Amino acid sequence: MKHKMLTAAVLAGFCLACGARELQKNAMVWYDTNGHVINAHGGGVLEYGGKYYLYGEHKVYGQAGCRAHVGVHIYSSGNLKDWQDEGIALKVSDDPNSDIADGCVMERPKIIHCAKTGKFVMYFHLERTSHLDYSDGRVGIAVSDTPAGPYRFVRSQKPTPGTYPVNAPEDEKTPEALERSRADVAKVPHYGESEEMKAALIYPAFVEGGQDSRDMTLFVDDDGTAYLIHSSEFNSTLHFSELTDDYLDFTGRWWRGRSKDWTEGAAVCKKGDWYYLVGSWCTGWDPNQARYYRARSITGPWERMGDPCRGVNPHNGLGPELTWGAQSNFILKVSDDEYIAMFDIWRPWNQVDSRLVWLPVRFGDGEMEIEWRD
Ligand code: DGJ
């Protein structure tokens, strides 16, 4: 056994030394150019200056990996295949009073480049150590002068305090609606799909202090305007919240996506005249069936389409009914004709062994398909 392991290690080393590194394979362990396991989950890829930057949650062994003990890890590559370790871009803090103290929940980091300021801006889902039951629902914001960091933590907050969505009907902006909303929030079960939640009016109760934000992504539109797209109203409804032109704050202009559709893992892209959003249902770390939405404008209306996934993951025998055992995360536009949809196979009992799945997206007119490939 020992001998076999040694042989495998030597062969792996040989391959690395001669540069004959294999393609990273979906659902398998991915290695960086040093031969170390790539540790970047729930993140994304930023293209800047002819290079790609892969970033994500650095996970540790065991169930402790469901909390952040290290930070956001970043890698760089010229070809999307050979990833060089760039280290920890944003570190958790040793100060227990910090919002990003060791042991907090720091999930789904996303990084965008602000052409106006030249800065790189990171947003992530934050649950402070005082709220490890996911009741915090905040967004963390960090900034850097360079794509690979180090990033400086700016602050955490709930998005869009003090403002109603632009698509709110007038009768949901009244004192009576506020009173009803506060009563609904006090009485309905917050999480999971239920008839009470479907009938409840949630967001007005949070206009004053800001809306909750859990799974989230960033999207920069063709005109340079950036949006935080986040699971809100206890994960029941996606919110689209416009960022200021330095990407460091909210303008207060925001709108609700499809009401009570319980979407997590939102990944957004634009191809031609269509905006697409791939998402999952809300089943914790367990996989469920993906669906996608399309719209002619980022402001919607978002039409719910079917499941874009096709084929079977041969490593676990799972097909589209459970998104191959994975959950949607990010869509990278490589060129006008090449888009990569990125998914995570979570392993909450040992998150460091969670796996990445990257697949090409096929587009028809207003339609998308993502087919399994090794
Ligand atoms: C599903 C989300 O998509 C993940 O990012 C994570 O928050 C888990 N829920 C936690 O159960």
Side-chain angles (χ1 to χ4, degrees):
M1 184 60 182
K2 238 185 183 173
H3 172 73
K4 263 193 185 162
M5 278 166 69
L6 195 66
T7 312
V10 170
L11 279 177
F14 173 76
C15 281
L16 290 178
C18 69
R21 196 174 300 105
E22 277 198 49
L23 269 175
Q24 315 277 11
K25 292 226 170 88
N26 281 321
M28 299 287 100
V29 174
W30 290 16
Y31 294 97
D32 68 15
T33 50
N34 295 321
H36 298 142
V37 174
I38 290 182
N39 195 338
H41 307 273
V45 174
L46 166 78
E47 191 204 341
Y48 181 77
K51 264 189 167 180
Y52 296 97
Y53 295 87
L54 162 65
Y55 54 84
E57 306 156 30
H58 178 108
K59 299 293 200 185
V60 299
Y61 288 95
Q63 289 181 356
C66 293
R67 308 272 175 259
H69 296 288
V70 179
V72 177
H73 206 137
I74 197 154
Y75 300 82
S76 66
S77 171
N79 61 10
L80 286 167
K81 175 171 79 82
D82 303 309
W83 293 102
Q84 184 181 320
D85 191 357
E86 298 280 352
I88 304 302
L90 176 69
K91 289 195 169 94
V92 296
S93 172
D94 292 333
D95 174 0
N97 295 317
S98 164
D99 280 6
I100 56 165
D102 183 351
C104 69
V105 168
M106 192 187 260
E107 289 178 346
R108 299 188 178 266
K110 297 289 174 281
I111 298 175
I112 50 179
H113 176 241
C114 181
K116 185 178 170 217
T117 61
K119 306 272 188 207
F120 297 85
V121 181
M122 178 194 293
Y123 279 61
F124 54 91
H125 168 199
L126 175 73
E127 301 285 321
R128 293 169 295 181
T129 51
S130 50
H131 292 71
L132 293 178
D133 58 354
Y134 281 79
S135 60
D136 216 8
R138 292 172 85 82
V139 74
I141 306 169
V143 67
S144 169
D145 292 329
T146 53
Y151 284 76
R152 176 177 63 81
F153 177 60
V154 179
R155 67 176 184 283
S156 81
Q157 70 166 95
K158 290 193 186 264
T160 60
T163 50
Y164 276 90
V166 292
N167 57 351
E170 288 307 314
D171 64 359
E172 290 184 359
K173 298 197 256 181
T174 61
E176 295 73 36
L178 178 58
E179 201 179 319
R180 181 195 145 195
S181 176
R182 285 183 175 148
D184 281 358
V185 167
K187 80 168 186 258
V188 297
H190 288 175
Y191 294 99
E193 213 175 321
S194 66
E195 290 312 310
E196 295 102 302
M197 263 301 272
K198 277 185 193 155
L201 182 59
I202 304 291
Y203 75 85
F206 299 104
V207 162
E208 193 183 335
Q211 304 291 322
D212 56 335
S213 174
R214 291 183 182 78
D215 275 12
M216 45 128 288
T217 193
L218 293 173
F219 175 74
V220 181
D221 210 345
D222 295 340
D223 64 0
T225 309
Y227 302 91
L228 177 79
I229 298 156
H230 50 111
S231 306
S232 195
E233 301 180 38
F234 305 114
N235 286 349
S236 69
T237 302
L238 282 176
H239 288 185
F240 294 72
S241 301
E242 187 181 82
L243 303 186
T244 51
D245 60 4
D246 60 4
Y247 298 172
L248 290 172
D249 209 342
F250 297 92
T251 62
R253 179 172 173 263
W254 65 283
W255 58 93
R256 303 174 71 230
R258 282 176 67 103
S259 190
K260 313 285 171 61
D261 233 9
W262 281 276
T263 306
E264 283 190 327
V268 181
C269 69
K270 186 179 183 207
K271 161 85 174 153
D273 292 334
W274 287 103
Y275 293 80
Y276 297 88
L277 186 153
V278 181
S280 72
W281 296 95
C282 306
T283 51
W285 298 111
D286 295 334
N288 57 59
Q289 184 162 27
R291 62 291 199 8
Y292 77 100
Y293 300 80
R294 67 177 186 186
R296 290 287 193 185
S297 156
I298 187 75
T299 56
W302 289 88
E303 183 185 356
R304 188 157 122 198
M305 308 294 284
D307 182 347
C309 304
R310 307 280 182 269
V312 172
N313 170 358
H315 306 290
N316 58 16
L318 297 176
E321 72 291 346
L322 286 178
T323 317
W324 317 292
Q327 187 185 21
S328 49
N329 175 41
F330 189 75
I331 301 174
L332 173 69
K333 178 177 177 178
V334 182
S335 72
D336 282 347
D337 297 313
E338 295 163 302
Y339 289 68
I340 304 175
M342 305 181 175
F343 300 79
D344 297 281
I345 296 181
W346 299 116
R347 300 211 159 134
W349 61 92
N350 186 20
Q351 289 283 27
V352 74
D353 196 31
S354 293
R355 305 288 171 85
L356 305 178
V357 173
W358 289 14
L359 293 165
V361 187
R362 258 194 322 258
F363 292 98
D365 183 24
E367 287 173 5
M368 72 180 343
E369 269 187 2
I370 306 165
E371 182 149 14
W372 177 271
R373 291 193 202 171
D374 281 348

